[in-house]
Amino acid sequence: MPRSDPNGPAVIVDPYSSGALFAPAFAAAGVPVVAVVSSPAPPAVYAASYRPEHFETILTTTDGLEPLVERLRALRPRCVLPGCESGVELADVLAPVVVPDVANDPEKAAARRHKDEMAAAVARAGLPIIRQLCTSNADEVEAWLYRSNLAGRDLVIKSPKSASTDGVTRVPRGEDFREVFHSMLGRPNRLGIVNDRLVVQEYVTGTEYVVDTFTYEGKHTVTDVCRYHKVDNGPYMAIYERMEWLSPKTPGIERLIGYTRGVLDAVGIRFGAAHVELMLTREGPRLIEIGARPHGGGQPRFCRVATGDSQVDRTVRYFARLGHVREGFGLQSHVLVVFLIVRTPGIVQNAEVFADVEALPTHHFSVIRIRNGDRLQPTRALFGSLDLGFVVLAHADRSQVQADYHKIRDMERRLRLDDSRGAPG
């Protein structure tokens, strides 16, 4: 039986999004890094983050799985880790046969990627979940709604294997759910995966959080907790509006962490980073979904500013044997990510309204992709927000951060979109 080699390279499967941060971090610790890519080219949503120049060796599945396994075994790696959502399934196939002593539970691999399987695993562990059904049959949905006393209630319909909020759709009072259901069924999501079934959930309300973790030898450590603020944008629900890092002293945070640890156990996480999204309802925490990989969008870079640590740092520290892995976290700086949102379609007339973003007292980092002449559509999901841009604010004074947040929203309100020529649907 092969085992991990503490002197071997780190293998990153699909080193995109935040997974792109692993290579320079491991390299700084003197650890060589090998990339494995699950497709000839990265999904379009991740393409801009790919840095092939960071890897001396890049392996693919072109010749089949067995040749890839043999090449990896010959390299005697210390770990096989997913870089982003598109790499989770392949990493879960490779790690148990290449480095089984530092792999997650292979029997629970489906629960780490498929939203129906993960909810079922969490329910079997005795944790409460949001009621849902996964099916390809709209008649089955209707029967389930009546059986569950959800007829006439707000619903959520989403892809079982998407990333971010891609395709997540709210159906008020469940009216015309069949139209939404059939419009999504059989269509590819933004990772290129065809929706052969769909998850239909009851719509729950509360405050949404994400708990980011690093696990080693089955021990779950928390790197940070963030609170999400999301808004509806016309028919599109749960649009990311802002994300704020929280202090570990925030009331109720231990309850979230306790539930998160139960989720991680339920889906078989034993090694590596995870990204657990929760809704804190009046009845308590409820799982939205878990990503068995680092928090995306480059979040670990900003987590370092907020807490002095990150999932990437803890992963490298453990596998490079650099010493003790931190168990908890603290808040060193108030950090807020502001996601730009477009609410109506049109052609950009005055992108210069964002010219003063970098002059804000709390400005830490920003990407503004809006240009004059761009044809914009209303923001539908996080991928759409990232296409527009975002601003990271950081400061010792939270009130200053909040003041600058409002200035950004004022800039956004002053953005003029000319729809006289129309924008393509």
Side-chain angles (χ1 to χ4, degrees):
M1 176 70 69
R3 291 182 61 83
S4 60
D5 185 339
N7 298 310
V11 174
I12 310 300
V13 182
D14 283 2
Y16 317 137
S17 186
S18 293
L21 303 175
F22 276 128
F26 271 116
V31 176
V33 189
V34 172
V36 172
V37 294
S38 62
S39 58
V45 293
Y46 295 139
S49 64
Y50 185 29
R51 299 290 182 270
E53 66 274 13
H54 287 173
F55 306 93
E56 291 186 9
T57 303
I58 300 176
L59 304 178
T60 72
T61 58
T62 304
D63 296 326
L65 187 60
E66 284 306 314
L68 174 59
V69 168
E70 291 306 314
R71 290 198 65 183
L72 288 175
R73 284 176 173 170
L75 292 171
R76 297 178 59 82
R78 66 183 67 202
C79 57
V80 176
L81 305 168
C84 65
E85 197 68 22
S86 66
V88 168
E89 287 180 292
L90 182 55
D92 266 338
V93 170
L94 296 173
V97 295
V98 176
V99 287
D101 55 317
V102 291
N104 291 323
D105 184 349
E107 299 298 320
K108 297 181 178 179
R112 295 190 288 274
R113 183 68 182 92
H114 194 285
K115 293 178 176 60
D116 188 53
E117 297 282 353
M118 69 179 63
V122 171
R124 284 194 298 270
L127 296 174
I129 63 168
I130 299 170
R131 288 182 291 175
Q132 67 177 48
L133 175 72
C134 187
T135 182
S136 60
N137 188 319
D139 290 337
E140 187 178 348
V141 174
E142 185 166 7
W144 173 75
L145 293 176
Y146 281 101
R147 190 167 63 247
S148 305
N149 294 319
L150 292 174
R153 300 264 299 274
D154 289 0
L155 304 174
V156 175
I157 300 179
K158 59 186 180 181
S159 165
K161 294 177 79 171
S162 62
S164 175
T165 55
D166 178 27
V168 178
T169 304
R170 179 181 176 184
V171 184
R173 299 173 299 283
E175 294 176 354
D176 299 322
F177 82 85
R178 288 175 179 269
E179 181 178 346
V180 175
F181 189 89
H182 289 299
S183 71
M184 295 172 62
L185 190 66
R187 301 286 182 88
N189 61 35
R190 290 197 67 176
L191 295 183
I193 301 170
V194 174
N195 297 324
D196 58 346
R197 293 188 295 162
L198 292 168
V199 172
V200 181
Q201 287 183 328
E202 65 173 324
Y203 176 79
V204 298
T205 59
T207 304
E208 191 172 342
Y209 298 85
V210 58
V211 181
D212 294 315
T213 62
F214 171 71
T215 299
Y216 65 98
E217 301 162 26
K219 186 171 186 177
H220 310 305
T221 74
V222 176
T223 61
D224 63 284
V225 178
C226 297
R227 180 168 51 227
Y228 288 144
H229 294 263
K230 295 183 179 181
V231 296
D232 288 352
N233 193 19
Y236 311 114
M237 66 163 286
I239 306 300
Y240 283 77
E241 197 263 354
R242 63 192 189 274
M243 179 177 76
E244 182 178 13
W245 272 256
L246 300 180
S247 163
K249 298 178 181 178
T250 302
I253 208 167
E254 285 302 322
R255 191 178 186 188
L256 297 172
I257 291 173
Y259 183 93
T260 294
R261 290 195 167 110
V263 169
L264 296 172
D265 286 337
V267 301
I269 297 287
R270 296 188 64 249
F271 289 90
H275 167 73
V276 185
E277 295 183 334
L278 309 169
M279 181 75 76
L280 184 57
T281 71
R282 286 183 298 181
E283 291 76 31
R286 297 293 185 271
L287 176 69
I288 296 175
E289 62 184 60
I290 175 174
R293 40 75 182 179
H295 191 150
Q299 190 266 10
R301 291 181 296 166
F302 312 126
C303 191
R304 288 175 187 143
V305 177
T307 71
D309 201 358
S310 77
Q311 294 173 296
V312 168
D313 296 316
R314 289 194 192 179
T315 302
V316 171
R317 197 173 302 131
Y318 177 77
F319 285 109
R321 299 194 170 188
L322 297 180
H324 176 70
V325 175
R326 189 176 173 188
E327 300 297 321
F329 69 99
L331 193 67
Q332 298 182 356
S333 179
H334 294 283
V335 177
L336 184 73
V337 180
V338 185
F339 300 95
L340 299 184
I341 299 173
V342 169
R343 298 184 181 276
T344 58
I347 301 170
V348 178
Q349 303 296 302
N350 62 335
E352 57 274 11
V353 294
F354 296 110
D356 293 334
V357 161
E358 293 188 13
L360 295 172
T362 67
H363 177 271
H364 173 73
F365 179 85
S366 59
V367 176
I368 309 292
R369 296 189 172 95
I370 298 173
R371 300 289 182 269
N372 285 333
D374 287 350
R375 290 174 176 265
L376 302 181
Q377 288 294 306
T379 305
R380 302 183 180 193
L382 177 58
F383 287 138
S385 294
L386 297 179
D387 289 343
L388 296 172
F390 62 95
V391 182
V392 181
L393 306 176
H395 200 271
D397 183 353
R398 185 175 183 270
S399 64
Q400 183 64 63
V401 170
Q402 294 297 313
D404 286 352
Y405 156 75
H406 288 294
K407 290 178 183 177
I408 293 169
R409 289 299 178 216
D410 182 62
M411 295 175 191
E412 192 179 77
R413 282 190 290 271
R414 290 187 281 117
L415 182 68
R416 293 197 309 274
L417 299 179
D418 177 11
D419 65 354
S420 61
R421 287 178 287 168

